[in-house]
């Protein structure tokens, strides 16, 4: 058992635990993937469990691929029959095997992504004569998803108010449309497996017999449907090992429930519980700060995280005047650290909401520094990529009306709205789907139809193409089918107009073609399933040498030598929506904890004095979470002291929210404690009104903290003078002359 030599005592205990229920509570960076992979090897080599009797599930394709790669390395080859993948991919495989036992679906069902789902909801609202402005599709879809996560079908949905009544009606119509399209959404994959197991005990018994050992990663992120599926599969043997950490549960908004950890204990009162507390990622100082933050949450299991990496760099807490200066400070700091030998990919800049990336992106562009933005328009959501996938989906499943609607006249082929409407009416009268109607016009010269001239030619030509692709789908590879579609539709001429944007679009199509070429043995059904289930975290390319910009939610499962967390202000983190809800506030704290524990060597935390909120500049309060970090772990003045320093003078601030905008007085809200900009000094009274500038461009000045610098710009702002100074050591600072006490040199 040489493969066990590299494990610590707690990891070895988890890996070699006897069969039965096992709960592993794994702190961040504690080697949970190592435990899961070694457990699989232990089951096969020491307990003689056949690989095909093991089911291992996680939340991202990236994690599943990493786990499989590690196991194959230790086992010197591919493991035939080992079921390892995400919850959704696992459920999709089960459902495809059991379509004979499913109403409404056949084996070729497609999986609708979020954009497709919204289209179906919009159609459902239209069918019900409901206003999509009054009942936004996204809100309706959230309500439907919540019901499915709780395994509530349209028939079982119980409305308690007017909105719920509308949601129930839309849900019912939405499901009818999915069934008509032979399609499932992501939540259906989970719910339908649970319903299948409940309705067909014989089917459940078959999978219980097959999967006699179950391993689950990121258990704290499971929802009701996922936990229900696991409980049913494990009911016959109870050989289930789950790895999780309630302190890292940050997906409550999409149904995740960390309380499933407590439910696991209740379901298996004799379960062995193991704590993984040794961290292999961060310095002890970062761990101590993180523990100090998370310990304020209740209903959690305490883990005393420790590491062999004693000490570490102090955590830097900075305050900027506004988000523009905050972004510039981040970029300046990264530039300085690059000179110390760091690589651009060593850095990650995290924030609470996607909107916060704008000022950061602009700062990176101004500095001509490379960056990658996680959570922007993802590859599989780009227009041209979705077009080609829609063609493939329609060839795979001719009932897919959403894909049909997308590409029937893309590229333009003379099938306009009126012709489509006429075709739909004629198809319905013949008992045909639109795709079948197209093919009928193409292959049956004797069929009676109302179309003439150009309309008939366009409809029949498209029908001939569809007929050919459907015939070819089982005979050629996915890549070859894609080549045929691209050539026969003239898609390149349509998308690549010779401009740089056109070239980029065609490059995206070719990138999709390369994805199809990576595994020539994958069927069309498997390929479409893979691209439908790609998660956001799977899009982080570790080979790109650039700084990563991403939300704290997207940071889960990642790690970086240097981490910046920006926008640490009350109302942003914690988010204003959490102020009146204890559970929401606890999750905001967990989100901050997750971000902190992504850092290996250095952690920078920043907040702004002012920030534009809903388009209006507001004076902000530093995040309450910053107060939980012990003062001796922080480089600089603590946030509590900075708050106290500004009580007397905060009302004198009259700068604009941006130095590029006209000045305007923004009085602070009443009874609100104001932070102190770190770069300002104490003063007894507001400065007197000025009639002319005291400083000029190019002038040398000295600051007590920042040293000697050069004035770049100076201008009067209300009753003060705003001076922009370049300091060789600390970068560009915008200072209030009345507070900064700048000393002129050689004036």
């Amino acid at each position: 058992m040489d493969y066990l030599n590299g494990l610590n005592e707690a990891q070895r205990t988890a890996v070699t635990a006897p069969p039965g229920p096992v709960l592993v509570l794994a702190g961040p960076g504690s080697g949970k993937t190592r435990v899961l992979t070694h457990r699989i090897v232990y089951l096969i080599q020491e307990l003689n469990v056949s690989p095909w009797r093991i089911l291992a599930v996680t939340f991202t394709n990236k994690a599943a691929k990493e786990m499989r790669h590690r196991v194959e390395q230790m086992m010197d080859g591919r493991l035939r029959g080992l079921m390892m993948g995400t919850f959704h991919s696992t459920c999709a495989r089960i459902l495809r095997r059991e379509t004979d036992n499913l109403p409404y679906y056949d084996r070729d069902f497609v999986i609708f992504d979020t954009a497709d789902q919204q289209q179906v909801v919009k159609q459902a609202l239209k069918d019900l004569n409901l206003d999509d402005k009054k009942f936004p599709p996204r809100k309706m879809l959230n309500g439907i998803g919540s019901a499915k996560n709780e395994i509530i079908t349209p028939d079982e949905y119980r409305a308690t108010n007017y909105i719920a009544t509308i949601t129930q009606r839309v849900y019912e119509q939405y499901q009818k449309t999915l069934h008509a399209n032979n399609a499932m959404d992501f939540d259906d994959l989970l719910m339908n497996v649970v319903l299948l197991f409940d309705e067909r005990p014989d089917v459940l018994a078959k999978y219980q017999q097959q999967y006699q050992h179950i391993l689950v990663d990121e258990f704290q992120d499971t929802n009701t449907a996922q936990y229900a599926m696991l409980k049913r599969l494990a009911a016959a043997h109870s050989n289930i090992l789950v790895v999780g950490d309630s302190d890292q549960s940050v997906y409550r908004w999409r149904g995740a429930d960390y309380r499933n950890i407590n439910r696991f204990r209740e379901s298996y009162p004799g379960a062995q519980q193991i704590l993984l507390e040794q961290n292999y990622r961060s310095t002890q100082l970062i761990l101590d700060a993180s523990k100090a933050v998370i310990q304020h949450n209740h209903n959690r299991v305490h883990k005393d995280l420790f590491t062999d990496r004693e000490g570490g760099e102090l955590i830097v807490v900075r305050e900027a005047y506004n988000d523009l200066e905050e972004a510039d400070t981040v970029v300046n700091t990264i530039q300085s650290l690059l000179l110390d030998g760091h690589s651009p990919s060593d850095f990650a800049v995290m924030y609470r909401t996607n909107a916060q990336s704008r000022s950061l992106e602009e700062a990176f562009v101004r500095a001509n520094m490379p960056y990658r933005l996680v959570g922007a328009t993802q590859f599989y959501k780009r227009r041209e990529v979705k077009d080609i996938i829609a063609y493939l989906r329609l060839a795979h499943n001719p009932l897919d009306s959403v894909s049909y609607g997308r590409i029937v006249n893309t590229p333009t082929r003379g099938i306009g709205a009126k012709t489509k409407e006429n075709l739909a009416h004629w198809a319905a009268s013949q008992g045909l789907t639109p795709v079948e109607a197209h093919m009928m016009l193409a292959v049956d010269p004797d069929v009676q139809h109302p179309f003439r001239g150009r309309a008939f030619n366009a409809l029949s030509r498209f029908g001939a193409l569809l007929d050919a692709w459907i015939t070819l789908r089982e005979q050629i590879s996915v890549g070859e089918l894609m080549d045929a579609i691209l050539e026969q539709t003239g898609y390149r001429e349509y998308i690549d107009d010779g401009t740089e944007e056109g070239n980029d679009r065609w490059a995206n199509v070719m990138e999709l073609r390369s994805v199809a070429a990576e595994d020539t043995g994958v069927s069309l059904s498997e390929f479409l399933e893979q691209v439908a289930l790609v998660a956001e975290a799977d899009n982080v390319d570790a080979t790109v040498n650039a700084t990563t910009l991403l939300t704290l939610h997207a940071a889960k499962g990642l790690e970086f030598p240097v981490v910046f967390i920006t926008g640490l202000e009350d109302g942003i983190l914690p988010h204003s929506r959490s102020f009146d809800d204890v559970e929401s506030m606890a999750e905001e704290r967990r989100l901050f904890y997750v971000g902190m524990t992504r850092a290996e060597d250095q952690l920078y935390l920043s907040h702004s004095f002012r920030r534009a909120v809903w388009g209006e500049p507001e004076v902000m309060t530093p995040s309450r979470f910053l107060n939980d970090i012990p003062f001796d772990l922080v480089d600089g003045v603590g946030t509590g002291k900075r708050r106290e320093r500004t009580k007397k003078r905060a009302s004198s601030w009259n700068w604009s929210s941006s130095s590029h905008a006209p000045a305007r007085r923004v009085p602070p809200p009443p009874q609100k404690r104001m932070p102190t900009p770190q770069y300002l000094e104490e003063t007894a009274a507001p400065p007197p009104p000025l009639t002319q500038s005291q400083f000029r461009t190019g002038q040398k000045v000295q600051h007590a903290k920042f040293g000697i610098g050069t004035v770049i710009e100076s201008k009067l702002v209300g009753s003060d003078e705003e001076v922009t100074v370049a300091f060789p050591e600390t970068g560009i600072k915008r200072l209030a002359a009345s507070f900064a006490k700048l000393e002129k040199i050689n004036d």
Side-chain angles (χ1 to χ4, degrees):
M1 295 195 298
D2 292 341
Y3 62 92
L4 299 178
N5 292 339
L7 304 177
N8 63 39
E9 183 178 350
Q11 291 172 336
R12 183 187 290 261
T13 300
V15 168
T16 61
V22 181
L23 173 61
V24 181
L25 298 176
S30 61
K32 64 181 178 62
T33 302
R34 180 184 298 182
V35 166
L36 288 165
T37 53
H38 282 68
R39 175 67 172 181
I40 293 172
V41 175
Y42 179 81
L43 290 173
I44 296 170
Q45 290 193 350
E46 311 307 327
L47 301 186
N48 297 316
V49 177
S50 299
W52 65 277
R53 292 197 181 278
I54 299 173
L55 169 63
V57 290
T58 185
F59 276 83
T60 67
N61 294 306
K62 181 179 179 181
K65 288 179 181 178
E66 173 66 18
M67 287 172 60
R68 181 175 288 277
H69 176 69
R70 292 194 195 184
V71 173
E72 289 177 348
Q73 280 189 321
M74 287 188 283
M75 297 293 292
D76 296 323
R78 192 172 181 85
L79 295 169
R80 293 183 62 84
L82 174 64
M83 183 71 142
M84 181 182 291
T86 64
F87 273 97
H88 291 101
S89 64
T90 299
C91 289
R93 291 183 203 176
I94 292 174
L95 292 171
R96 289 201 192 280
R97 293 175 185 170
E98 303 297 333
T99 48
D100 289 344
N101 298 312
L102 294 176
Y104 310 117
Y105 301 101
D106 62 38
R107 183 177 174 81
D108 293 332
F109 69 79
V110 294
I111 302 169
F112 279 0
D113 64 15
T114 304
D116 299 326
Q117 292 169 243
Q118 291 194 35
Q119 284 298 113
V120 176
V121 170
K122 288 180 180 178
Q123 184 61 49
L125 289 167
K126 183 178 180 181
D127 293 342
L128 296 170
N129 293 317
L130 294 170
D131 185 357
D132 62 3
K133 299 292 191 297
K134 188 175 181 181
F135 306 105
R138 186 180 296 273
K139 185 174 182 180
M140 294 291 103
L141 197 56
N142 287 341
I144 293 169
S146 296
K148 291 184 178 183
N149 285 338
E150 297 297 323
I151 323 175
I152 300 172
T153 64
D155 292 338
E156 297 168 332
Y157 192 99
R158 294 294 176 263
T160 57
N161 54 48
Y162 177 60
I163 293 297
T165 300
I166 298 299
T167 303
Q168 191 275 333
R169 293 175 59 198
V170 174
Y171 184 9
E172 184 176 12
Q173 186 66 27
Y174 173 83
Q175 286 302 104
K176 288 180 181 178
T177 305
L178 289 181
H179 296 159
N181 282 268
N182 191 29
M184 297 188 196
D185 63 21
F186 298 134
D187 298 317
D188 279 328
L189 296 174
L190 302 169
M191 183 176 72
N192 285 338
V193 166
V194 177
L195 294 176
L196 173 65
F197 287 167
D198 289 346
E199 294 166 3
R200 292 294 302 273
D202 57 323
V203 174
L204 172 59
K206 179 175 68 173
Y207 287 98
Q208 288 174 336
Q209 178 66 19
Q210 178 173 346
Y211 301 128
Q212 295 186 6
H213 291 269
I214 301 172
L215 298 90
V216 188
D217 189 16
E218 304 287 6
F219 186 67
Q220 76 282 347
D221 291 332
T222 54
N223 60 28
T224 299
Q226 288 161 339
Y227 185 46
M229 182 191 80
L230 294 170
K231 275 192 65 178
R232 284 158 174 75
L233 285 173
H237 48 69
S238 297
N239 295 328
I240 178 169
L241 182 147
V242 302
V243 181
D245 180 10
S246 58
D247 290 338
Q248 297 185 71
S249 179
V250 295
Y251 298 125
R252 180 170 171 252
W253 49 276
R254 67 183 188 196
D257 191 346
Y258 71 93
R259 292 172 297 184
N260 282 342
I261 291 177
N262 291 332
R263 295 185 181 111
F264 183 89
R265 290 196 191 95
E266 295 169 359
S267 300
Y268 305 101
Q272 183 175 356
Q273 180 172 300
I274 302 163
L275 296 181
L276 299 186
E277 298 176 303
Q278 183 170 358
N279 180 282
Y280 293 92
R281 176 188 301 156
S282 307
T283 65
Q284 188 62 52
L285 190 142
I286 291 174
L287 294 179
D288 289 343
S290 303
K291 288 189 293 184
V293 168
I294 200 62
Q295 70 180 0
H296 292 274
N297 273 2
H298 303 294
N299 300 320
R300 56 179 293 271
V301 176
H302 175 71
K303 291 175 292 298
D304 190 15
L305 301 180
F306 68 93
T307 179
D308 291 337
R309 303 183 62 196
E310 297 181 359
E313 298 284 339
L314 291 175
I315 295 171
V316 178
V317 180
R318 289 173 170 163
E319 182 177 48
Y321 175 65
N322 58 19
D323 61 327
L324 301 179
E325 183 177 80
E326 181 182 45
D328 286 337
T329 302
V330 168
V331 170
N332 291 339
T333 303
I334 291 175
Q335 288 175 324
S336 298
L337 293 173
L338 287 172
L339 297 176
D340 293 337
H342 279 284
S343 170
S345 60
D346 289 343
F347 307 102
V349 186
M350 303 175 185
Y351 34 83
R352 176 63 177 82
T353 64
N354 277 307
Q356 292 170 252
S357 73
R358 182 194 57 79
S359 56
L360 289 163
E361 288 186 76
E362 291 175 354
F364 274 87
V365 171
R366 287 195 300 270
N368 196 29
M369 289 179 62
Y371 70 93
R372 55 184 175 185
L373 183 64
V374 178
T377 302
Q378 299 173 35
F379 177 76
Y380 289 106
K381 293 183 179 178
R382 293 169 185 166
R383 187 189 86 188
E384 58 276 12
V385 174
K386 286 185 68 66
D387 283 349
I388 304 307
I389 290 175
Y391 272 109
L392 293 173
R393 283 190 359 188
L394 196 58
H396 171 64
N397 173 26
L399 295 176
D400 185 353
S401 64
V402 172
S403 293
Y404 169 79
R406 182 180 186 92
I407 53 85
V408 63
N409 203 38
T410 303
T412 302
R413 53 176 58 91
I415 303 177
K418 185 63 176 178
T419 301
K420 283 172 58 180
E421 183 179 347
N422 291 338
L423 178 76
H425 288 312
W426 179 71
S429 70
Q430 302 297 310
L432 303 172
T433 67
V435 170
E436 290 171 335
H438 277 282
M439 293 191 292
M440 180 72 74
L441 292 173
V443 301
D444 187 352
D446 297 325
V447 66
Q448 297 298 312
H449 60 80
F451 307 105
R452 298 288 181 271
R454 286 184 299 176
F456 171 75
N457 291 334
L459 293 171
S460 61
R461 278 198 301 266
F462 187 52
L465 291 176
L466 288 169
D467 185 54
W469 298 333
I470 291 170
T471 302
L472 287 173
R473 69 184 183 187
E474 302 296 338
Q475 304 173 13
I476 60 178
S477 69
V478 177
E480 290 169 332
L481 178 60
M482 193 182 302
D483 290 339
I485 291 171
L486 292 172
E487 180 180 352
Q488 293 169 359
T489 60
Y491 193 81
R492 179 168 188 173
E493 291 74 15
Y494 166 69
I495 203 70
D496 187 359
D497 57 2
T499 64
E500 185 174 348
E501 181 181 2
N503 291 334
D504 287 343
R505 291 187 184 280
W506 180 246
N508 288 332
V509 173
M510 289 296 95
E511 179 63 22
L512 180 66
R513 177 64 178 83
S514 69
V515 173
E518 287 177 0
D519 192 344
T520 55
V522 171
S523 69
L524 178 58
S525 174
E526 291 170 330
F527 176 78
L528 292 172
E529 184 176 302
Q530 288 173 8
V531 299
L533 298 178
V534 170
E536 182 172 296
D538 297 325
N539 293 327
V540 180
D541 186 355
T543 64
V544 178
N545 192 21
T547 297
T548 301
L549 310 184
L550 72 172
T551 65
L552 288 162
H553 282 104
K556 185 79 175 296
L558 304 177
E559 57 186 39
F560 303 89
V562 183
V563 167
F564 297 80
I565 304 179
T566 62
L568 286 167
E569 299 126 31
D570 274 2
I572 295 180
L573 186 69
H575 198 279
S576 57
R577 290 193 300 263
S578 69
F579 287 174
D580 298 323
D581 183 77
V582 174
E583 281 295 325
S584 296
M585 182 61 72
E587 177 146 325
E588 294 292 301
R589 186 181 293 277
R590 292 195 293 270
L591 194 57
F592 184 36
Y593 173 78
V594 165
M596 295 175 72
T597 54
R598 301 309 95 192
E600 298 173 0
D601 305 319
Q602 292 177 272
L603 178 60
Y604 292 81
L605 310 175
S606 63
H607 58 97
S608 298
F609 178 81
R610 275 216 176 117
R611 188 177 299 273
V613 179
W614 302 112
E616 291 295 323
E618 287 190 12
V619 176
M620 308 298 290
T621 302
S623 171
R624 63 195 69 189
F625 298 155
L626 291 172
N627 292 333
D628 299 328
I629 302 175
F631 176 74
D632 58 347
L633 305 182
V634 175
D635 177 15
V637 180
T639 56
K641 189 171 183 179
R642 285 206 298 275
R643 289 186 182 197
E644 293 299 321
R645 276 180 153 187
T646 57
K647 281 183 177 179
K648 292 183 268 185
R649 66 173 181 240
S651 61
S652 68
W653 282 80
N654 59 356
W655 294 2
S656 64
S657 63
S658 167
S659 60
H660 306 294
R664 93 179 178 79
R665 177 82 176 179
V666 182
Q671 299 179 341
K672 191 170 186 178
R673 298 168 65 192
M674 304 301 172
T676 304
Q678 188 174 347
Y679 46 78
L680 301 184
E681 303 296 331
E682 187 71 16
T683 184
L690 294 177
T691 57
Q692 62 181 10
S693 298
Q694 303 176 58
F695 301 92
R696 55 181 172 77
T697 300
Q699 187 174 45
K700 295 289 185 181
V701 294
Q702 183 163 359
H703 185 275
K705 179 176 180 180
F706 302 135
I708 296 177
T710 303
V711 175
I712 298 176
E713 182 184 18
S714 183
K715 58 184 179 181
L716 298 181
V717 181
S719 60
D720 207 340
E721 183 176 359
E722 179 184 320
V723 187
T724 304
V725 183
F727 294 99
E729 298 296 327
T730 57
I732 298 175
K733 305 290 181 183
R734 286 192 290 275
L735 309 173
S738 60
F739 294 130
K741 297 183 179 178
L742 294 172
E743 181 180 342
K744 300 177 184 178
I745 300 177
N746 298 327
D747 189 19

